[in-house]
């Protein structure tokens, strides 16, 4: 609460690209309102140029992040969870105003988001063993299959569940070694911006997660058609936009995740979101050499 006689320092909401917080190069912003229609803040309205910059940043970060040990990636995800726990009160307030739920319910959703990060952190050094295999072959060879990250993933975050849904689409992408460009919930971007501040102070290398706020209809088609994006998650796209993005993604054979129906973010997530953005590499090696 602001002390009587002084003005509050109003927050400037920005993008998160390459570990930094730039304004949109267009200089545009849009009004963010609560579930009741009350004005909350002005958020940056990202442009196509911002999206291209984010893809460039994600590509630059990919070699280092994919080359890190799975154990190290798990440690960093756990650190993100620790930092989120420390800012729980702020997240609860933002989820309350965004979704119009009680503080108790918002607390449950924030706790679920923290727990979701810990859950994925635990999978970091196990998903490779689950997905990999020693394959039987007819010949004097070892035949081994192992999983590798796809590359740069464009993620359209869900409009509902602005924190739990957001964490649930980002964590499986980065825990497996991919980097990403995320378009936050257009309706409720403030929890995403706060999450970006957490990411910036949690040992996550700059560029692994790049977060854009703005119009989904404006950004999604360009990310889906970008030739340096390897995969796209269309979770937050309405049906018509998802169809056009899926068609654009086919131009360079992107992997596409397009969930059917509404997702229950409180349910057990399973491993599908991790395996969708993994490639399988098979290695042959002569026995005895």
């Amino acid at each position: 609460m602001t002390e009587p006689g002084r003005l509050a320092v109003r927050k400037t909401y920005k993008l998160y690209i390459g570990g930094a917080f730039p304004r949109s190069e267009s200089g545009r912003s849009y009004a963010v309102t609560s579930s009741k229609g009350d004005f909350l803040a002005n958020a940056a309205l990202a442009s196509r140029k911002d999206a291209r910059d984010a893809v460039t940043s994600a590509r630059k970060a990919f070699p280092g992040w994919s080359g890190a040990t799975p154990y190290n990636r798990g440690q960093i995800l756990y650190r993100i969870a620790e930092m989120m726990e420390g800012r729980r009160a702020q997240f609860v307030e933002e989820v309350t105003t965004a979704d119009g739920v009680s503080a108790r319910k918002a607390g449950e959703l924030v706790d679920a988001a923290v727990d979701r990060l810990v859950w994925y952190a635990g999978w970091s050094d196990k998903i490779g063993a689950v997905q990999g295999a020693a394959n039987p072959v007819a010949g004097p060879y070892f035949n081994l299959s192992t999983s590798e990250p796809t590359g740069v993933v464009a993620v359209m975050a869900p409009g509902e569940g602005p924190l739990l849904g957001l964490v649930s689409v980002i964590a499986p992408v980065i825990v497996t070694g991919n980097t990403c460009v995320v378009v936050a919930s257009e309706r409720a971007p403030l929890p995403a911006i706060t999450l970006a501040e957490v990411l910036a102070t949690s040992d996550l290398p700059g560029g692994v997660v790049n977060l854009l706020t703005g119009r989904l209809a404006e950004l999604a088609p360009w990310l889906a058609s970008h030739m340096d994006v390897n995969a796209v998650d269309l979770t937050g796209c309405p049906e018509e936009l998802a169809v056009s993005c899926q068609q654009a993604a086919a131009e360079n054979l992107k992997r596409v995740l397009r969930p059917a129906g509404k997702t229950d973010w409180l349910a057990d997530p399973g491993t599908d979101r991790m395996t969708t953005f993994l490639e399988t590499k098979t290695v042959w090696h002569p026995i005895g050499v």
Side-chain angles (χ1 to χ4, degrees), residues 130-276:
V130 172
Q131 286 298 108
N135 308 309
V137 295
Y141 302 98
F142 291 116
N143 183 263
L144 306 174
S145 293
T146 183
S147 55
E148 293 185 340
T150 295
V152 175
V153 182
V155 179
M156 314 307 158
E160 303 303 319
L163 181 63
L164 177 56
L166 178 70
V167 167
S168 298
V169 295
I170 291 177
V173 171
I174 64 173
V175 75
T176 50
N178 298 290
T179 57
C180 62
V181 177
V182 184
V183 181
S185 168
E186 181 179 334
R187 176 189 64 85
L190 302 192
I193 297 168
T194 302
L195 178 63
E197 295 174 354
V198 168
L199 298 177
T201 54
S202 58
D203 301 328
L204 187 74
V208 173
V209 175
N210 303 273
L211 200 144
L212 307 175
T213 56
R215 308 296 183 204
L216 183 64
E218 180 181 350
L219 299 171
W222 293 103
L223 289 170
S225 62
H226 197 298
M227 299 303 284
D228 202 26
V229 172
N230 303 106
V232 59
D233 179 350
L234 301 176
T235 297
C237 290
E239 183 67 19
E240 186 176 345
L241 181 59
V243 170
S244 63
C245 286
Q246 192 165 7
Q247 292 169 343
E251 290 293 324
N252 73 331
L253 304 179
K254 289 180 178 66
R255 283 179 172 261
V256 176
L257 175 60
R258 184 182 167 192
K262 190 175 181 179
T263 304
D264 180 5
W265 297 114
L266 288 169
D268 184 340
T271 60
D272 287 351
R273 284 187 171 272
M274 288 185 284
T275 58
T276 296

Side-chain angles (χ1 to χ4, degrees), residues 44-70:
L45 189 60
S47 67
R48 287 160 48 186
K49 174 64 164 56
D50 296 318
R52 292 198 300 270
D53 290 345
V55 172
T56 299
S57 178
R59 176 59 63 193
K60 184 177 180 181
F62 178 70
W65 183 243
S66 61
T69 65

